[in-house]
Amino acid sequence: MIYIDEIKNIFVLTTKNTEYAFCVDNIGLLRNLYWGEKIDSIKDYEIEELVEVSTNDPVFEITKEEYPVYGGLRYKENCLKATFSDNTRDIVYKYLGYEKSDDELIIKLKDKYYDLQINLVYKLYYEFDLIERKAIIINNSKEDILLENVMSAQLHIPYENLTFRNTHGYWAAEQQEFIQNVSYGKIVIENRRGVSGHNHNPYFILDNNATETTGEVYFGALNLTGNFKGVIEQTQYGETLVQMGINDFDFLYYLSPNEKFETPEIVIGYTNKGFESMSHNMHAYANKHIIKNSNIRPVLYNSWEAMEFKVNAKEQIELAKRAKDIGTELFVVDDGWFGQRHSIKNGLGDWYVNKEKFPNGLEELIKEVKNMGMFFGIWFEPEMVNPLTELYKKHPDWVYNFDNRERNLSREQLVLNITIPEVCEYVFETLDYYLTNYDIDYIKWDVNRPISEPGAKNLLKNERSLWINHIKSVYKIVDRLKKKHPKVLFEACASGGGRIDFGMLSHFDDFWTSDNTDAYDRLFIQNTYSKIYPIKAMRAWVTDCPNFLSKRVIPLEFRFDSAMMGALGVGCNLLKMSESEIDICREKIKYYKEIRHIIQEGKFYRLDKTLKDNDYYSFEYVLDDEVILFVFLPQSKIGHRHTFIKLRGLDENSSYEFTINNENKTKSGIYLQNHGLKIKLSGDYQSMIIRLKKI
Ligand code: DGJ
């Protein structure tokens, strides 16, 4: 709900359990008044008059501004820095008014002298306790205005000494959670690579001694891929500030007369019920408003780990037959099927079917796959080109470059400048050709290197907007393809999980979570992923052992159980598997199909370890009357102790029936939540899935 006190200029946004309030004060500043648990009493808000404490502490520094601009006596991080055509580098805004609908509020600000308008948009997601914020900068003047920094929002958290959580990582080590105490000074998380990043993720989680189920958590995630920046600052005035948006690193944008610049949205939320409630709200929001294709995800087979670049029609058909036999529903040919792609050195850009590998074209394989009743998917790396290709020979000017600089290769490839309309069209047409002429249901869209030598002369004076324009072109291509081929699912991959963010998920359907397919490592990667991002989009494969990365050997059952926690896939070399292993695959996939609606659409619970010195990991999914419990014991410790797993999210007044160790049992919800379920696993890499049903 949106409440407005027209006399005092107070705006109160309420969701089911939370409230966000701000005002326009007597000197025209847009000031945050509150963010936290719901109050629902607009009449109680008062606007304190600003009083300068000392000349060293100007009111602008102390004031909780909703969208601080660079100008006047402001020295902290700003949300908007601009230079006008007469070189004035200072913004002074005044309040123009507002526009309101049921779930959206737009606050309009304007520079006091120049025709620069700032619209701040607040969109409410009432049932999920979330608010989306963004800013729209409009040039109503007759001259260009140079934007040097444009953030999506500033947020004020009324505490010091909070705990900040985000991810660090690198290739095959994505989603490693770090937890940092916030003190005086700034924490900066960012990406400067343009296309991908395995390190920081564009979200913030700040808590005040929270646990999974208790305590206050403030959080937000940016709808942006690539160059983002987030600043968390505990100020000297007793609060913590957050700013997130497009990275101002190497960013400049000349806003032409009558042009608008829109920031990506940041979705923000508050809960006093711990991280679990944060994740539930974010997952529900993503499933309903971010993910466009809400269908249950098929079980896929992907050929990458089994064959790498050595794909050919004969073996792919053999693999597809086995993949069908074990129960997978979607067969994806990964890298290696096109051009002269025998290794990383060549092929990208020459998107013709390799005749030596597929003498009868892709048609033969697709026909086999379709005749078996499976979906067909194929890999592309559309934003890239290898210098050895025909495409590069023909269009050496199609990549980002500076005239007098060597073009740095990474994975032997260069990044196509898809901000050039012709190049963008080429990428669209290439994919459109395949989707039009072949019966393709799934595209795995990969990207395996960052942008370097970021020259894009085509953008003229706005060359330094290429970081944001590149990703906008990606979004545009995928949106156009989806419009024309609506049944096709798109998987976002960037050397594994380098593009996991709401920007991607607003356009793509699945994430390839990590090239690290070690089932034990995945428990941690998936755990951190689940804090913000929805389970349905989390692709997880079962692959061969010893794992190519960790060299670990993990029983196939555990590997399946770990991968079944998301959208299941298989990447094993099925041609080399024993009959008993094939049997396990069949059995596990059959079971996954029975429970996947609960996994992909249920509420997800990261259950605590309940016994000290015990290394059981447990996770739970609840959808209506159905419950799935995953338990993992990576390593037995002395004594092979049992554990009691206290379930959550059950109906306390109902009973649940389930089978454990071949014994049928019935227990009340209240017993399962308070006493817990006794589980004993022994050995290393042991796991168990228990399905409970409310009666
Ligand atoms: C990186 C991806 O993460 C892998 O799954 C695979 O598709 C390779 N690229 C192919 O080159």
Side-chain angles (χ1 to χ4, degrees):
M1 306 286 281
I2 300 170
Y3 301 97
I4 299 173
D5 180 330
E6 303 271 359
I7 303 192
K8 292 197 213 157
N9 273 334
I10 290 177
F11 302 85
V12 176
L13 315 179
T14 63
T15 62
K16 206 164 156 195
N17 301 293
T18 73
E19 183 157 321
Y20 188 99
F22 56 90
C23 68
V24 183
D25 73 6
N26 56 321
I27 60 165
L29 292 182
L30 197 64
R31 273 162 60 182
N32 185 273
L33 294 174
Y34 178 75
W35 186 22
E37 201 177 340
K38 194 163 177 171
I39 302 171
D40 226 353
S41 181
I42 189 170
K43 63 178 184 347
D44 290 325
Y45 283 105
E46 288 174 28
I47 307 176
E48 267 178 51
E49 208 164 294
L50 296 177
V51 188
E52 191 174 83
V53 179
S54 87
T55 50
N56 293 302
D57 301 280
V59 288
F60 295 102
E61 283 289 276
I62 304 170
T63 305
K64 299 176 177 196
E65 279 190 273
E66 280 290 285
Y67 199 75
V69 292
Y70 177 71
L73 292 159
R74 290 185 183 90
Y75 304 98
K76 288 186 302 200
E77 296 286 329
N78 59 72
C79 281
L80 181 64
K81 184 167 188 299
T83 302
F84 297 98
S85 56
D86 61 2
N87 272 335
T88 300
R89 305 189 314 280
D90 183 281
I91 302 171
V92 182
Y93 69 78
K94 63 179 180 192
Y95 172 62
L96 285 186
Y98 70 85
E99 255 175 47
K100 166 182 164 323
S101 66
D102 283 352
D103 60 356
E104 192 173 86
L105 177 68
I106 303 175
I107 299 291
K108 297 180 175 178
L109 310 172
K110 185 199 162 298
D111 187 88
K112 282 191 171 164
Y113 180 84
Y114 300 95
D115 276 330
L116 172 71
Q117 192 173 319
I118 308 165
N119 286 358
L120 301 181
V121 183
Y122 299 78
K123 183 159 185 187
L124 271 63
Y125 292 87
Y126 186 88
E127 58 180 314
F128 306 131
D129 284 328
L130 297 172
I131 300 172
E132 260 176 19
R133 283 191 58 182
K134 70 175 171 188
I136 303 170
I137 316 300
I138 309 161
N139 181 358
N140 290 321
S141 76
K142 292 194 168 48
E143 316 280 346
D144 282 354
I145 300 172
L146 178 62
L147 306 179
E148 293 163 54
N149 182 32
V150 200
M151 285 283 162
S152 295
Q154 173 160 284
L155 304 157
H156 298 265
I157 300 168
Y159 296 111
E160 295 173 302
N161 303 318
L162 293 167
T163 306
F164 173 67
R165 283 173 159 75
N166 197 260
T167 62
H168 68 95
Y170 48 94
W171 172 74
E174 302 89 338
Q175 302 287 332
Q176 306 296 307
E177 184 174 51
F178 73 86
I179 304 174
Q180 195 169 330
N181 293 334
V182 183
S183 184
Y184 297 102
K186 293 173 195 172
I187 299 173
V188 178
I189 52 166
E190 64 168 359
N191 179 295
R192 295 181 175 194
R193 295 166 180 244
V195 294
S196 64
H198 300 77
N199 194 16
H200 300 149
N201 201 285
Y203 70 73
F204 73 90
I205 302 175
L206 283 160
D207 76 278
N208 198 5
N209 296 317
T211 67
E212 274 297 301
T213 51
T214 63
E216 290 182 291
V217 189
Y218 292 84
F219 55 93
L222 203 59
N223 194 328
L224 176 69
T225 309
N227 285 20
F228 81 93
K229 181 168 156 187
V231 182
I232 288 78
E233 179 180 12
Q234 178 174 306
T235 73
Q236 63 273 50
Y237 303 112
E239 64 161 346
T240 303
L241 293 179
V242 180
Q243 291 201 338
M244 283 198 120
I246 295 167
N247 202 339
D248 58 347
F249 169 78
D250 199 40
F251 171 84
L252 280 183
Y253 193 87
Y254 286 89
L255 194 65
S256 317
N258 300 319
E259 196 187 346
K260 287 181 187 173
F261 186 93
E262 205 167 309
T263 71
E265 298 90 2
I266 179 167
V267 59
I268 57 163
Y270 163 84
T271 174
N272 56 15
K273 296 191 180 60
F275 303 115
E276 180 175 289
S277 130
M278 165 189 81
S279 302
H280 286 172
N281 284 335
M282 289 301 258
H283 292 182
Y285 157 82
N287 284 340
K288 188 157 179 199
H289 298 287
I290 298 283
I291 294 181
K292 303 295 178 294
N293 188 323
S294 60
N295 294 342
I296 289 287
R297 297 296 184 257
V299 181
L300 69 73
Y301 178 81
N302 178 297
S303 67
W304 174 247
E305 273 202 35
M307 299 296 167
E308 296 205 337
F309 301 100
K310 293 187 271 331
V311 299
N312 64 63
K314 194 165 162 274
E315 273 182 339
Q316 291 288 310
I317 291 170
E318 278 314 301
L319 274 177
K321 284 182 183 159
R322 292 276 178 123
K324 170 68 186 174
D325 176 35
I326 62 170
T328 67
E329 301 155 303
L330 160 66
F331 184 81
V332 184
V333 181
D334 208 281
D335 203 345
W337 59 270
F338 55 92
Q340 293 308 308
R341 186 74 169 166
H342 306 293
S343 70
I344 55 171
K345 288 198 166 64
N346 202 343
L348 298 174
D350 288 349
W351 296 107
Y352 59 84
V353 181
N354 183 300
K355 281 281 176 200
E356 286 154 37
K357 298 181 182 185
F358 293 90
N360 303 315
L362 277 181
E363 290 87 344
E364 186 187 12
L365 172 62
I366 297 179
K367 201 168 147 215
E368 290 277 354
V369 168
K370 294 282 157 155
N371 283 345
M372 289 188 277
M374 294 171 91
F375 297 118
F376 180 77
I378 195 158
W379 181 97
F380 280 91
E381 194 172 352
E383 295 156 72
M384 301 290 159
V385 64
N386 288 113
L388 293 179
T389 54
E390 292 306 314
L391 183 78
Y392 188 73
K393 282 178 197 142
K394 212 163 137 199
H395 298 291
D397 51 335
W398 275 17
V399 299
Y400 294 112
N401 71 89
F402 291 124
D403 285 349
N404 300 318
R405 291 285 173 241
E406 195 183 317
R407 300 171 184 195
N408 265 296
L409 293 178
S410 172
R411 216 195 192 218
E412 301 286 336
Q413 63 198 55
L414 295 165
V415 186
L416 286 174
N417 177 357
I418 53 171
T419 70
I420 302 174
E422 194 189 356
V423 184
C424 187
E425 198 56 30
Y426 158 80
V427 173
F428 169 78
E429 277 172 9
T430 302
L431 282 139
D432 182 44
Y433 169 83
Y434 276 93
L435 293 177
T436 306
N437 293 295
Y438 296 88
D439 194 358
I440 294 172
D441 308 280
Y442 195 85
I443 297 279
K444 178 173 173 183
W445 179 305
D446 203 350
V447 54
N448 285 298
R449 65 153 292 174
I451 293 174
S452 62
E453 298 80 45
K457 281 191 189 146
N458 57 300
L459 295 174
L460 307 171
K461 61 187 177 190
N462 274 341
E463 191 167 6
R464 293 197 204 182
S465 71
L466 84 138
W467 305 104
I468 180 81
N469 278 330
H470 181 93
I471 200 65
K472 277 187 180 166
S473 293
V474 171
Y475 297 161
K476 199 169 99 188
I477 295 166
V478 175
D479 290 351
R480 275 179 77 193
L481 290 168
K482 281 190 149 192
K483 200 162 174 222
K484 217 171 149 197
H485 310 279
K487 68 161 195 184
V488 180
L489 288 178
F490 283 75
E491 177 178 1
C493 170
S495 298
R499 261 184 177 173
I500 293 177
D501 53 63
F502 277 144
M504 282 322 256
L505 204 55
S506 300
H507 306 271
F508 287 69
D509 305 289
D510 289 357
F511 289 130
W512 176 222
T513 317
S514 175
D515 277 350
N516 184 341
T517 52
D518 177 278
Y520 174 57
D521 284 353
R522 270 302 181 103
L523 293 183
F524 299 90
I525 291 173
Q526 294 174 178
N527 190 62
T528 308
Y529 168 99
S530 76
K531 289 270 164 69
I532 297 291
Y533 300 111
I535 303 295
K536 181 177 267 176
M538 185 178 78
R539 277 283 168 200
W541 306 345
V542 176
T543 56
D544 290 328
C545 272
N547 181 272
F548 83 97
L549 200 66
S550 66
K551 309 288 176 237
R552 224 182 330 245
V553 177
I554 292 182
L556 189 54
E557 289 86 347
F558 186 108
R559 278 182 269 154
F560 259 102
D561 291 354
S562 168
M564 280 162 71
M565 285 186 58
L568 177 65
V570 176
C572 299
N573 188 343
L574 301 175
L575 305 180
K576 289 192 177 155
M577 269 188 156
S578 69
E579 266 319 304
S580 60
E581 286 174 319
I582 291 282
D583 282 346
I584 297 173
C585 294
R586 278 195 205 108
E587 201 184 298
K588 285 289 184 186
I589 293 171
K590 182 167 174 276
Y591 187 48
Y592 178 75
K593 287 178 184 167
E594 285 169 26
I595 59 173
R596 66 175 153 189
H597 60 288
I598 314 168
I599 290 167
Q600 294 185 19
E601 298 191 334
K603 276 191 175 174
F604 181 62
Y605 296 82
R606 295 170 291 264
L607 301 180
D608 301 325
K609 292 187 212 169
T610 44
L611 280 179
K612 275 197 181 136
D613 297 329
N614 201 333
D615 273 340
Y616 285 90
Y617 296 88
S618 46
F619 307 93
E620 182 193 350
Y621 301 76
V622 180
L623 183 68
D624 304 325
D625 295 347
E626 299 186 277
V627 181
I628 299 291
L629 175 67
F630 283 81
V631 188
F632 298 92
L633 180 72
Q635 193 182 36
S636 269
K637 291 229 171 117
I638 310 154
H640 311 294
R641 290 165 69 171
H642 61 258
T643 187
F644 285 96
I645 293 175
K646 295 181 179 180
L647 278 79
R648 293 207 285 273
L650 304 185
D651 178 353
E652 296 197 338
N653 302 316
S654 297
S655 288
Y656 290 80
E657 55 186 21
F658 54 96
T659 305
I660 183 165
N661 301 326
N662 297 321
E663 209 185 314
N664 295 332
K665 294 199 173 190
T666 303
K667 301 274 179 213
S668 63
I670 194 158
Y671 177 91
L672 291 168
Q673 293 203 146
N674 294 329
H675 176 276
L677 187 60
K678 186 176 171 184
I679 303 275
K680 183 164 188 266
L681 295 170
S682 26
D684 291 345
Y685 298 114
Q686 296 302 304
S687 56
M688 188 184 251
I689 302 177
I690 301 161
R691 184 176 186 180
L692 301 94
K693 189 147 178 52
K694 186 164 122 181
I695 41 176

